[in-house]
Amino acid sequence: MLDRVLKQASITKKDVAHWVVHPGGAPVLRMLSTPPDERKGRVFNTGADPFFLTPEQLHASWYVLENYGNTVSPSLFLVLERLLETLPPTEKPEYLVACA
């Protein structure tokens, strides 16, 4: 589904500078940051281009999970707030994707 949404926006995962990921729990965030070749067929390993984010890309999600827990729907907005607080100024527009 993510690939379809990005395609409609005429961008790829590589074009996305920032990710706002709902911190549904430590197992979810760990899986998202586990390299695809280490997943051994687990969830999120969905084909030739499985979804994978680096720990740095998930830093705001981890911060919110560690400091607020899983607050259900508001978590996404807390992650966005944390990300915006920690981003350095930029002169050019950057893409951000939020997913829950």
Side-chain angles (χ1 to χ4, degrees), residues 34-89:
T34 299
D37 59 341
E38 295 178 18
R39 293 183 187 168
K40 299 183 173 103
R42 292 182 172 177
V43 68
F44 300 118
N45 195 5
T46 58
D49 190 19
F51 192 69
F52 170 72
L53 295 174
T54 66
E56 178 57 32
Q57 290 170 306
L58 291 170
H59 75 90
S61 298
W62 277 110
Y63 176 88
V64 168
L65 183 62
E66 291 167 359
N67 289 276
Y68 300 97
N70 182 357
T71 61
V72 194
S73 296
S75 292
L76 199 61
F77 296 104
L78 292 169
V79 174
L80 177 60
E81 179 181 53
R82 177 63 181 175
L83 181 66
L84 294 175
E85 289 172 352
T86 60
L87 285 179

Side-chain angles (χ1 to χ4, degrees), residues 1-17:
M1 176 155 197
L2 177 63
D3 288 331
R4 188 173 74 216
V5 171
L6 294 177
K7 185 176 181 180
Q8 287 176 342
S10 299
I11 62 174
T12 68
K13 290 178 206 166
K14 292 178 184 176
D15 297 320
V16 178

